[in-house]
Amino acid sequence: MRRPTLIGAVVGLICLLGLAANAPSQDQKKNPDWSFNATNIEACSCEMFCPCYFTGAPSPAAGGGHDGHSGMSYCRFNNAFKVNTGHFGDTKLDGVKFWMAGDLGADFSKGFDWAVLTFEPGTPAAQRDAIKQIVQTIFAGKWNSFSDGADANIDWSLTKDRAVAKLDDGKAAEIVLKRNQGLTDDPIVIQNLKFWAAPRNDGFKMMQNEVQAYRLGDKAFETKGTNGFAITIDMKSSDVK
């Protein structure tokens, strides 16, 4: 039998050290590198334009409140996201669509009320877990309830004049937006305004809603003629302090 030479042993040790150096650390496994670029069709119960992005509170309860009875302010919303490009560690996120409906409540300093996150059937578990972590980083804060909804198909369409998104063909939730007329036929765009924790966006393209509704369970709601917009946001793990 041929005995290993000193050179062979050294080469083997170098290879082992190289593999160890390239192996992901425990910290990398727990906090992987990620990026997220997605377009969001959004509508909510606030007046146009939603003051939540400026004041940290929804439209004031005028005339007895949003519902005319309780005197309570709230921001009940629907977000229909489509990921343009993204990854979470080795998990690709390109093309994933998901729906986020909920209520931000009346006082953000006390946390948010509730949210339900819904994915399309067949979305892999790794993509779901990644999206959940990214979403809760973007919408940073305490939620009284943050849950998963039953899987449903998402129809998603956006042009410069109109945006339509439907969850389970509109039976579960729906957003229909129309472009507000500006000086030209291009969208009215609000620039230099942050979308929650995401540090980059292409501007809020104003589109008042014809209807925005969440039609499931005891928290169902529907509003017409209130706030709406479309926006593309961009964020990376390196943006998180």
Side-chain angles (χ1 to χ4, degrees):
M1 180 181 292
R2 187 178 180 183
R3 294 182 179 179
T5 65
L6 178 60
I7 294 175
V10 170
V11 170
L13 179 59
I14 291 173
C15 291
L16 289 173
L17 290 173
L19 290 172
N22 291 324
S25 67
Q26 287 299 111
D27 186 63
Q28 287 174 320
K29 291 179 181 179
K30 292 180 181 179
N31 302 290
D33 173 71
W34 59 264
S35 65
F36 182 79
N37 180 285
T39 301
N40 178 28
I41 297 173
E42 175 168 333
C44 71
S45 57
C46 288
E47 298 171 347
M48 196 81 168
F49 174 68
C50 177
C52 299
Y53 290 93
F54 292 98
T55 65
S59 293
H66 278 86
D67 56 12
H69 302 289
S70 66
M72 293 295 293
S73 292
Y74 49 74
C75 180
R76 293 173 182 167
F77 65 89
N78 282 284
N79 291 346
F81 281 94
K82 181 178 181 180
V83 181
N84 303 313
T85 60
H87 74 276
F88 192 85
D90 294 331
T91 301
K92 288 288 186 181
L93 302 176
D94 300 20
V96 174
K97 288 183 287 184
F98 63 95
W99 198 285
M100 182 179 176
D103 184 355
L104 295 177
D107 186 351
F108 301 169
S109 66
K110 298 179 181 178
F112 306 128
D113 195 355
W114 62 272
V116 176
L117 205 61
T118 303
F119 294 94
E120 293 191 294
T123 304
Q127 290 183 335
R128 295 171 189 250
D129 292 342
I131 293 293
K132 289 176 188 178
Q133 291 191 54
I134 292 172
V135 164
Q136 293 192 63
T137 300
I138 294 172
F139 295 90
K142 178 184 177 183
W143 291 88
N144 294 329
S145 172
F146 198 103
S147 60
D148 294 339
D151 289 0
N153 290 325
I154 298 174
D155 298 312
W156 196 99
S157 175
L158 173 63
T159 69
K160 76 180 186 71
D161 296 315
R162 195 168 179 82
V164 178
K166 295 184 179 183
L167 184 65
D168 192 17
D169 199 30
K171 294 189 289 291
E174 181 179 18
I175 307 170
V176 179
L177 309 182
K178 60 179 180 180
R179 175 179 58 84
N180 294 82
Q181 185 62 44
L183 294 174
T184 71
D185 289 336
D186 290 326
I188 298 172
V189 183
I190 295 179
Q191 300 281 7
N192 196 33
L193 178 62
K194 195 172 184 179
F195 182 92
W196 300 101
R200 293 171 294 278
N201 65 68
D202 67 345
F204 293 71
K205 300 172 183 65
M206 305 310 300
M207 291 184 169
Q208 195 165 25
N209 75 70
E210 293 181 351
V211 61
Q212 71 106 10
Y214 184 69
R215 299 186 170 115
L216 299 175
D218 59 357
K219 295 180 179 178
F221 59 83
E222 181 172 322
T223 62
K224 296 180 180 181
T226 53
N227 181 64
F229 59 85
I231 189 171
T232 295
I233 63 173
D234 186 85
M235 190 172 185
K236 299 177 180 179
S237 53
S238 58
D239 296 316
V240 182
K241 296 181 180 180

